[in-house]
Amino acid sequence: MDNIYLDCFGIDKKVLDFASDILDGLKERFNDIDNTAEYNQLKVLSAMQAENISEAHLHGSTGYGYADAGRDSLEKVYAGVFKTEDALVRPQIVSGTHAINVALSGNLRPGDELLSPAGRLYDTMDEIIGIRPSSGSLKEYGISYRQAELKDDGTFDYEAVKRSINDKTRLVSIQRSKGYDSRPSFSVKDIGELIAFIKGIKPDVICMVDNCYGEFVEKKEPSELGADMVVGSLIKNPGGGLAPCGGYIAGKKEYVENAAYRLTSPGLGKEVGATLGVNPLMYQGLFLAPTVVSGALKGAVFAAELYGRLGFKTVPGGKDERTDIIQAVELGTSERLLAFCEGIQAAAPVDSFVKPVADAMPGYDSEVVMAAGAFVQGSSIELSADGPLRPPYNVFFQGGLTWPHAKLGMIKSLQCLYEKGLVEL
Ligand SMILES: *Cc1c(COP(=O)(O)O)cnc(C)c1O
C-alpha cells in the first residue's frame, strides 16, 4: 500500500510515516463521523421515499419549465431533509452568494433592517449589503444593516445582540461556517440558542442561516432548531459532488415563496424554471451527500491533527466538535500558503499539472490563491484549498469526494512544505 504513495506520488517515507502515525490515533473519531453519515443517509432516503420518487422524476423540462414534476418533488425532498415547509432548489441559483442574495432581497423591503448578530459575514456579503458600495445592493434599496460583534472568545455577545434589535429589524442572518475568518464555526445547538434568544425579544423577525459547508455534518440542521430559512450552495455539501450547479433555500412557505418571486419574477415564482437535464444529478448528488461529507470531514480532522502536531494553529482543533467541513490552518507565511495549495493541486484528478498562483477575485478584497482540480468548476465539496494572501496566511481546506482522495491531498500538501524546507519533521 505504502509503495503507491512513494512510487506514484513522490511522497517521502518520512512524510508518510508521520501521516500514518497520526491516522492511527483517529479510529474512534472516524467511527463517530461514520455514524453521523449513516444517520443522514437514512434521513435523505426516507425523505425520497416519502415523496415516492420514481423514474419519471428524473426527467427534466425545457423552456418555461411548467409542471416539472422532478423539480417540484426534489424541492419537497429538500423540505423533508431540512424539516421545513417548503424549499426552492434550482440550477438557476448560480452560487451560495446568489442564494443568500435571493433570500435576503426577496424578503426585505425598503425601511427594513438586516442584522448580523454574530459579527462580520462572508466576504461576498459586503457587496450584497452595500458595505462596499455596489450597484444593486440592499443599501441602494433603502435596507439598512447592523452588526453585533462577537465576544473576544468568538462566542455570541447576547447583550450586544439585544441592543442591536430595534423596530426596523426584519431579518437576522447567521453564518454557520466561519468562512474566511478565524472565529470558530457555530454549532447547530449554538445557533438554535441564539435564535431562541432573538425570537424572545422580537418574535416576528425572520431568522436565516447561511448553511454553506454545514449540511450533513451534524445530525440536525439549523431549520430543526428554529431557523426560518436555511440557504446554501449545491456545489458544496448537498450536491454531493454531482450537482453541476445550483443553490437551495429551505424554510417557511411564505419566505421561500418570496425568494422565488425574486429569483424568477413577481407573479411567476416557483411555477417556472426549466431543469434541462440536471434532475438526476440533483437527486443522486443529494443521495450521496452524507457519505461524501463524511469523507471530507475525515480529511479535515486529519489535516487538523497533522498540522496541529507540527505546531500550527488549526481552527477547529483536531479534537474539537465539527459543524462544517472547513479546516483552517494558520500557516504564517505566504510561501507556506502557496506550497500547501500546490500540494492540493498536485493531488487532483483534473489539472494536477497546474501550479496555482495568487490573483484578485471578484467579491474578495485581497488576492486569493486557490487550488482545485475539480470536475465541476469551483466546486468546493471537491478537494480544494484557498486562502487570501493576508496575515495570518490562513489556508482554508475543504472537501474531497472520497476519503482516500482527501487523505492524499493532505499528505501531498505536507510533502510540498517538507520538500521546500518550510516544515521540519
Ligand atoms: C461558500 C460560502 C458562501 C457562498 O459562496 P459562493 O462561492 O457564492 O457559493 C457564503 N457563505 C459561506 C459561509 C460560504 O462558505
Side-chain angles (χ1 to χ4, degrees):
M1 175 71 142
D2 282 7
N3 286 342
I4 193 162
Y5 284 97
L6 308 180
D7 299 345
C8 300
F9 292 94
I11 308 293
D12 280 347
K13 183 91 174 47
K14 209 163 175 190
V15 171
L16 199 60
D17 288 346
F18 186 78
S20 302
D21 192 43
I22 302 273
L23 281 171
D24 284 342
L26 288 175
K27 297 207 165 70
E28 209 174 305
R29 189 70 197 269
F30 281 16
N31 197 36
D32 290 345
I33 292 172
D34 287 336
N35 281 336
T36 303
E38 182 177 341
Y39 181 88
N40 285 326
Q41 178 73 79
L42 298 187
K43 182 159 81 175
V44 169
L45 257 175
S46 88
M48 287 187 178
Q49 293 182 356
E51 293 306 324
N52 288 329
I53 298 308
S54 68
E55 200 192 331
H57 292 117
L58 303 179
H59 301 300
S61 56
T62 56
Y64 290 123
Y66 288 128
D68 185 324
R71 177 196 69 206
D72 295 347
S73 292
L74 179 69
E75 292 181 332
K76 288 187 182 135
V77 170
Y78 263 72
V81 168
F82 288 97
K83 314 265 192 296
T84 56
E85 292 172 7
D86 202 355
L88 185 67
V89 186
R90 301 292 169 115
Q92 287 84 6
I93 299 177
V94 303
S95 64
T97 299
H98 187 201
I100 294 167
N101 185 47
V102 164
L104 291 177
S105 54
N107 281 287
L108 288 162
R109 295 292 178 270
D112 287 346
E113 187 159 279
L114 167 65
L115 169 66
S116 166
R120 189 168 184 272
L121 296 169
Y122 196 70
D123 285 53
T124 57
M125 295 288 291
D126 284 359
E127 278 147 328
I128 294 178
I129 295 166
I131 295 170
R132 261 185 288 152
S134 184
S135 189
S137 68
L138 294 173
K139 192 174 177 187
E140 283 195 344
Y141 286 90
I143 295 155
S144 56
Y145 173 70
R146 195 176 289 271
Q147 176 173 313
E149 300 304 332
L150 293 168
K151 293 204 279 195
D152 288 340
D153 64 359
T155 59
F156 305 134
D157 185 341
Y158 282 102
E159 279 310 306
V161 173
K162 192 172 179 184
R163 280 196 307 274
S164 305
I165 297 172
N166 57 48
D167 289 350
K168 290 167 62 175
T169 312
R170 174 68 182 138
L171 195 151
V172 161
S173 183
I174 303 165
Q175 185 181 310
R176 178 170 172 182
S177 172
K178 61 185 171 295
Y180 280 164
D181 230 313
S182 8
R183 69 153 168 95
S185 295
F186 305 130
S187 71
V188 173
K189 181 169 164 283
D190 291 344
I191 291 171
E193 283 167 13
L194 179 60
I195 291 173
F197 178 80
I198 290 165
K199 297 251 177 189
I201 297 167
K202 193 168 185 188
D204 63 348
V205 75
I206 304 169
C207 290
M208 178 184 110
V209 174
D210 170 357
N211 210 22
C212 280
Y213 290 126
E215 300 89 352
F216 303 126
V217 173
E218 299 190 44
K219 289 179 181 166
K220 284 194 168 157
E221 298 295 336
S223 38
E224 293 170 69
L225 272 85
D228 299 303
M229 268 193 290
V230 287
V231 178
S233 164
L234 299 196
I235 61 170
K236 294 179 179 172
N237 305 14
L242 291 187
C245 60
Y248 76 91
I249 297 166
K252 294 239 165 77
K253 196 169 181 52
E254 179 191 349
Y255 306 143
V256 170
E257 277 178 353
N258 285 341
Y261 289 129
R262 174 54 69 123
L263 177 68
T264 63
S265 164
L268 299 181
K270 294 184 77 185
E271 300 299 311
V272 294
T275 53
L276 308 173
V278 302
N279 277 339
L281 297 170
M282 301 292 206
Y283 279 105
Q284 200 177 353
L286 179 66
F287 172 75
L288 291 177
T291 52
V292 168
V293 166
S294 74
L297 262 179
K298 288 175 185 174
V301 170
F302 179 41
E305 289 285 345
L306 197 68
Y307 282 92
R309 188 156 327 163
L310 289 167
F312 293 100
K313 186 183 170 204
T314 61
V315 181
K319 306 277 183 288
D320 294 345
E321 289 296 317
R322 303 260 157 175
T323 190
D324 65 13
I325 62 167
I326 301 192
Q327 179 62 48
V329 182
E330 198 176 301
L331 291 167
T333 68
S334 59
E335 290 77 23
R336 289 204 197 100
L337 174 55
L338 291 164
F340 185 103
C341 291
E342 208 180 306
I344 297 294
Q345 188 75 38
V350 179
D351 289 337
S352 61
F353 51 88
V354 170
K355 185 173 166 181
V357 293
D359 204 357
M361 285 277 299
Y364 299 90
D365 64 5
S366 52
E367 277 196 327
V368 180
V369 58
M370 297 192 162
F375 296 103
V376 171
Q377 186 194 94
S379 166
S380 47
I381 186 61
E382 297 188 52
L383 184 66
S384 48
D386 36 66
L389 258 76
R390 62 186 183 215
Y393 300 98
N394 268 315
V395 72
F396 297 85
F397 153 82
Q398 66 268 312
L401 295 184
T402 67
W403 154 238
H405 183 220
K407 176 180 166 183
L408 173 67
M410 279 341 300
I411 292 176
K412 194 76 188 162
S413 75
L414 183 58
Q415 175 69 29
C416 270
L417 284 154
Y418 178 67
E419 268 172 25
K420 293 174 197 286
L422 299 169
V423 287
E424 274 178 43
L425 297 181

